[in-house]
Amino acid sequence: GENVEQHPSTLSVQEGDSAVIKCTYSDSASNYFPWYKQELGKRPQLIIDIRSNVGEKKDQRIAVTLNKTAKHFSLHITETQPEDSAVYFCAAKHYGGSQGNLIFGKGTKLSVKP
Amino acid sequence: DAEITQSPRHKITETGRQVTLACHQTWNHNNMFWYRQDLGHGLRLIHYSYGVHDTNKGEVSDGYSVSRSNTEDLPLTLESAASSQTSVYFCASSATVVNTEAFFGQGTRLTVV
């Protein structure tokens, strides 16, 4: 089955700096890679996603890059703000059935210090 | 507004008891999922369903079961609760269209004592 590795597990940055979170996946058939943000005590919410036919996608201060050959994808947050502090999860869509399921990494706790 | 809701939000139960966690969505999504979240393990898939009467095992399905009798609901049952099943449980749903967003419920914090 699919296995998703996520690094680092914790990340602390100064406000205004950039943050990068990296994930690798094992199943070359996976073709959808979303990123979720989970604030303390809240539900995970989608912040950005990328499909395997695209190498990079950007939405304001957030960008995701995908390297299919190396089977890794990364989340980039620029000009970090205190409200970016949260746990971030990457995921890969694993096709174990007709629709496929999201397999998640273990998460990265991002702390942005003012 | 369409939404996905879980109940109860918090529950404490004793070892060996049967427990059912409810999940209800009003988006008319065919796909529904149950995950558990534990520190250091992220979100792990327990069971999933692609439609009415369809259920499938995820990566950590032992000790859990689900049933899908209608589109809106996917209850998760712990047949005989164990302390190892103390966790936060999240239900999620997504549309049939491939590669679309999964929406999560608010979560249920279950403690087995």
Side-chain angles (χ1 to χ4, degrees):
Chain A
E2 176 66 279
N3 183 49
V4 178
E5 298 284 340
Q6 183 172 347
H7 299 280
S9 57
T10 60
L11 179 59
S12 182
V13 300
Q14 209 63 36
E15 182 178 359
D17 287 349
S18 295
V20 180
I21 302 170
K22 299 181 179 182
C23 289
T24 61
Y25 61 99
S26 61
D27 189 351
S28 56
S30 292
N31 65 358
Y32 174 62
F33 307 93
W35 286 87
Y36 283 78
K37 176 183 179 182
Q38 186 180 28
E39 296 176 349
L40 189 63
K42 301 289 183 62
R43 72 188 81 187
Q45 291 190 300
L46 180 74
I47 56 171
I48 195 168
D49 57 14
I50 191 167
R51 290 161 178 76
S52 58
N53 58 346
V54 175
E56 183 174 359
K57 183 177 179 180
K58 190 174 182 180
D59 183 4
Q60 299 182 343
R61 296 186 298 107
I62 294 173
V64 58
T65 59
L66 171 65
N67 183 326
K68 286 181 60 180
T69 302
K71 289 189 283 188
H72 68 71
F73 55 113
S74 300
L75 178 71
H76 305 253
I77 306 174
T78 59
E79 302 173 17
T80 54
Q81 301 168 3
E83 51 265 40
D84 294 330
S85 295
V87 178
Y88 292 81
F89 292 98
C90 63
K93 191 73 162 291
H94 172 61
Y95 283 87
S98 60
Q99 294 286 324
N101 306 306
L102 289 178
I103 303 300
F104 286 85
K106 294 183 178 181
T108 296
K109 183 177 181 180
L110 174 64
S111 299
V112 180
K113 299 181 178 179
Chain B
D1 288 343
E3 60 181 4
I4 179 168
T5 56
Q6 295 181 230
S7 61
R9 295 294 310 281
H10 303 273
K11 186 169 181 65
I12 301 175
T13 190
E14 295 178 342
T15 301
R17 289 192 178 271
Q18 185 181 79
V19 177
T20 297
L21 309 182
C23 176
H24 179 81
Q25 52 96 4
T26 58
W27 278 299
N28 202 35
H29 285 166
N30 280 328
N31 303 336
M32 296 186 73
F33 311 88
W34 273 103
Y35 290 89
R36 61 176 289 175
Q37 183 174 28
D38 305 286
L39 197 62
H41 290 279
L43 293 157
R44 292 182 290 175
L45 184 63
I46 306 172
H47 280 286
Y48 57 98
S49 168
Y50 293 147
V52 177
H53 302 311
D54 175 73
T55 61
N56 305 279
K57 294 181 178 180
E59 54 187 317
V60 290
S61 60
D62 287 350
Y64 303 94
S65 64
V66 293
S67 61
R68 188 87 181 271
S69 58
N70 57 53
T71 300
E72 295 79 18
D73 300 289
L74 186 70
L76 177 71
T77 297
L78 287 68
E79 303 294 344
S80 177
S83 58
S84 59
Q85 295 177 307
T86 292
S87 185
V88 178
Y89 291 85
F90 284 98
C91 179
S93 72
S94 67
T96 304
V97 175
V98 177
N99 294 342
T100 56
E101 178 177 358
F103 295 89
F104 283 81
Q106 325 95 301
T108 295
R109 182 175 295 276
L110 177 68
T111 303
V112 182
V113 298

